Amino acid sequence: MVILGAASWYYRWWGIIKAANSSIPSKIIVKPSYQSNKSKLLNINQPKNNELSTFYGVASLYHGLYMLIECDCRFAQRIDKEITFKILVIKIFPELKGLSVTLLSNERLAITLCNVPITELDRYIERLHKGIFTVCQNYQENITRKNIKIGACDYRLGADQETVYQLAKSALTLSQSSLLQHSHRLALNHSQGKVISREEVIENIKKNKFILFFQPLFEISTGDILQHEALIRVRHNTHGLLAARYFINQLYSSQDALILDKAVFTQIKKLALAESSPLTISINLYLKNWLNKEFWQWVSSQINDLKLSNKLQFEISESEFFIHQSSLIDIFSIIKKSRSQVVIDNIQSSQNISKLSNCQEVCGLKLSYELVHLVNENTQNQKQIKKIVDASNLLNIPVFAVGVETQKELLMLAKLGVVGAQGFYFSEPLQELTQAAFH
């Protein structure tokens, strides 16, 4: 009886164990059953971003990563800095097949990584910063993490190299101006990587699929807003709002240019009627319209109807103004009669400023972005700006700066005698004229 009972017990439990084992999955993803419901919720492992993409059938995406590195570490003369860092990068990122390391003339390092997962971009930058810091400690014990700054730009295959480089430089500037954040990344997005066609621009303008933003220009000494520069953004079904730099340099017919500038002016007219702000609005015009008397007669009638005296300024680049100065005499008479004014932008030297002595309509000069960017570090640009300021002071014409991104740039510009400035350091372009505040 004992033997028969034992055999029966063994047979029954062996069947249960076998059935249970056959139902166990290869990977256990459920928490033990003895946990409470609340406990289960707190301990569920969230899927990673690349796992989420597989749920929706989306392939994993990869970007290129271009980085500029500023490193204050003092290396011995016998050390080849470029080779040292190339070996380091290969060791840090053994999983990447495409990479390059270049030592630039200004002693900055330019590092390119290919096929970086977009979900890991910031982590790769952190790994690089940590690796560089570790190597530098071998040569300079007292070096700190803030002595190593990284500016990065991630981009897709086929992106414009110059744009990528400029974004990386801007990102590096942001890192250098921060005491806590030692690396910064700017992305080259869809709208930056692809230019909208001329036909699409005109079609969207005709359909009113655009909006105006306003970039405030501040007086450095007081913080008062001197003007708002109107900036057009065209709506695109795929890429959203596109800034003018992605389509402004395309070749437009005289009729297309007329449609664009009339649309901008008409929108400003609506805003002027809706807002009682006394602020001046500055408008950039196509050269074709600067030379179009019919356009200026239309503008004059619009200004008279609105009684916008002293509230409008029209901008023209230095090169276009001095090439076509004789053809613009009649246009300037129309501008003077309507009590509007002219701003000459993209000033690059003091060579032609004395020629403005008879142009009473010119109320300001805007320095080129190339002169302003990192002016605190570039002594040649400082000398050039000082010459421009001195020449304009003789004519009692104020000088303004565009594209100011850091406090160091602003302080240097103020020291050089620049009166006003605009740029991302103060404010991003705004949709409302009354939103801006001086920081």
Side-chain angles (χ1 to χ4, degrees):
M1 291 293 290
V2 172
I3 293 172
L4 288 173
S8 176
W9 179 85
Y10 177 81
Y11 179 81
R12 184 177 64 182
W13 282 103
W14 179 82
I16 294 172
I17 293 170
K18 183 178 180 181
N21 285 337
S22 66
S23 65
I24 295 176
S26 57
K27 292 183 180 179
I28 300 175
I29 59 174
V30 182
K31 293 297 176 181
S33 60
Y34 57 79
Q35 291 185 343
S36 67
N37 289 336
K38 182 178 179 180
S39 210
K40 287 181 183 178
L41 290 172
L42 293 174
N43 287 279
I44 290 175
N45 291 325
Q46 296 296 326
K48 297 178 181 178
N49 289 338
N50 58 347
E51 293 174 338
L52 280 172
S53 66
T54 62
F55 293 162
Y56 298 96
V58 180
S60 181
L61 296 177
Y62 298 86
H63 279 192
L65 190 59
Y66 180 78
M67 293 171 283
L68 292 174
I69 293 93
E70 186 85 54
C71 180
D72 292 341
C73 180
R74 294 187 296 272
F75 289 87
Q77 291 184 354
R78 56 185 174 82
I79 301 296
D80 190 318
K81 195 174 179 180
E82 185 173 304
I83 294 177
T84 299
F85 281 99
K86 187 168 186 177
I87 294 171
L88 171 67
V89 173
I90 292 172
K91 286 182 177 180
I92 296 175
F93 308 111
E95 70 276 16
L96 297 182
K97 294 182 180 179
L99 55 85
S100 68
V101 178
T102 305
L103 183 64
L104 304 179
S105 57
N106 55 10
E107 292 299 309
R108 288 176 179 169
L109 280 164
I111 297 177
T112 303
L113 304 179
C114 299
N115 298 319
V116 179
I118 60 172
T119 57
E120 301 288 324
L121 291 168
D122 291 328
R123 191 174 298 179
Y124 271 66
I125 297 171
E126 291 173 7
R127 284 168 62 185
L128 180 64
H129 190 280
K130 183 178 179 180
I132 293 175
F133 174 66
T134 302
V135 168
C136 289
Q137 279 186 314
N138 297 330
Y139 298 97
Q140 186 178 331
E141 292 183 359
N142 64 340
I143 196 168
T144 61
R145 294 183 184 276
K146 67 180 181 180
N147 296 123
I148 302 164
K149 297 289 186 176
I150 298 179
C153 173
D154 63 283
Y155 59 93
R156 287 190 173 187
L157 184 66
D160 179 66
Q161 293 184 3
E162 179 63 25
T163 305
V164 172
Y165 174 70
Q166 292 298 336
L167 283 172
K169 277 181 67 177
S170 297
L172 180 61
T173 301
L174 292 171
S175 299
Q176 291 170 327
S177 61
S178 174
L179 296 175
L180 300 176
Q181 188 175 352
H182 309 314
S183 62
H184 198 93
R185 175 173 63 87
L186 296 175
L188 182 65
N189 57 39
H190 293 286
S191 61
Q192 292 166 316
K194 182 178 180 179
V195 179
I196 186 172
S197 69
R198 178 186 63 80
E199 292 79 9
E200 287 178 293
V201 171
I202 299 303
E203 191 62 28
N204 287 352
I205 292 292
K206 288 180 178 178
K207 293 180 179 178
N208 257 351
K209 295 174 68 173
F210 72 95
I211 192 171
L212 292 185
F213 282 71
F214 297 91
Q215 183 78 67
L217 185 145
F218 295 91
E219 186 173 16
I220 295 176
S221 60
T222 64
D224 294 335
I225 298 177
L226 300 176
Q227 63 158 237
H228 277 93
E229 182 179 349
L231 305 172
I232 188 171
R233 300 284 189 269
V234 173
R235 296 188 185 278
H236 190 274
N237 293 336
T238 305
H239 306 305
L241 286 173
L242 297 183
R245 62 179 176 274
Y246 303 125
F247 58 83
I248 203 73
N249 293 322
Q250 299 187 67
L251 295 175
Y252 294 95
S253 66
S254 296
Q255 184 60 31
D256 288 347
L258 193 62
I259 290 172
L260 279 163
D261 282 344
K262 275 191 172 183
V264 171
F265 195 94
T266 302
Q267 187 67 17
I268 289 173
K269 174 182 174 180
K270 291 178 182 178
L271 290 169
L273 288 172
E275 295 191 26
S276 59
S277 172
L279 293 172
T280 300
I281 300 174
S282 175
I283 309 170
N284 279 282
L285 299 175
Y286 279 94
L287 178 61
K288 289 182 173 70
N289 291 326
W290 270 104
L291 304 174
N292 186 343
K293 291 185 180 180
E294 182 182 345
F295 169 77
W296 283 103
Q297 289 172 355
W298 176 84
V299 168
S300 179
S301 65
Q302 298 293 313
I303 294 175
N304 290 335
D305 289 345
L306 289 171
K307 299 179 180 179
L308 292 174
S309 59
N310 301 323
K311 293 186 72 172
L312 288 177
Q313 294 176 354
F314 299 95
E315 296 196 17
I316 183 172
S317 71
E318 177 191 24
S319 58
E320 292 175 348
F321 174 79
F322 288 111
I323 290 173
H324 302 281
Q325 188 172 4
S326 58
S327 302
L328 292 169
I329 293 175
D330 293 338
I331 303 301
F332 271 44
S333 297
I334 295 174
I335 291 174
K336 184 178 182 179
K337 187 177 179 181
S338 64
R339 289 180 288 180
S340 299
Q341 294 177 306
V342 176
V343 174
I344 300 178
D345 67 359
N346 202 30
I347 298 288
Q348 299 184 8
S349 72
S350 59
Q351 183 177 354
N352 294 315
I353 292 178
S354 60
K355 298 178 183 178
L356 298 174
S357 57
N358 295 323
C359 299
Q360 298 178 356
E361 299 78 17
V362 175
C363 66
L365 307 177
K366 286 188 176 181
L367 300 171
S368 69
Y369 174 76
E370 289 74 20
L371 281 179
V372 173
H373 187 57
L374 295 178
V375 64
N376 52 296
E377 300 177 6
N378 193 320
T379 55
Q380 288 299 113
N381 285 8
Q382 292 171 19
K383 292 177 182 178
Q384 193 67 261
I385 291 174
K386 186 67 172 119
K387 289 180 181 179
I388 293 171
V389 169
D390 290 343
S392 64
N393 283 343
L394 295 175
L395 303 177
N396 199 28
I397 300 175
V399 176
F400 309 129
V402 301
V404 178
E405 298 173 348
T406 67
Q407 187 181 40
K408 290 181 180 179
E409 290 176 352
L410 180 64
L411 293 174
M412 178 54 68
L413 291 166
K415 184 178 179 181
L416 294 172
V418 174
V419 173
Q422 67 185 64
F424 283 101
Y425 172 74
F426 304 100
S427 171
E428 295 183 5
L430 308 165
Q431 284 186 253
E432 301 292 338
L433 292 175
T434 55
Q435 289 178 343
F438 186 80
H439 298 306

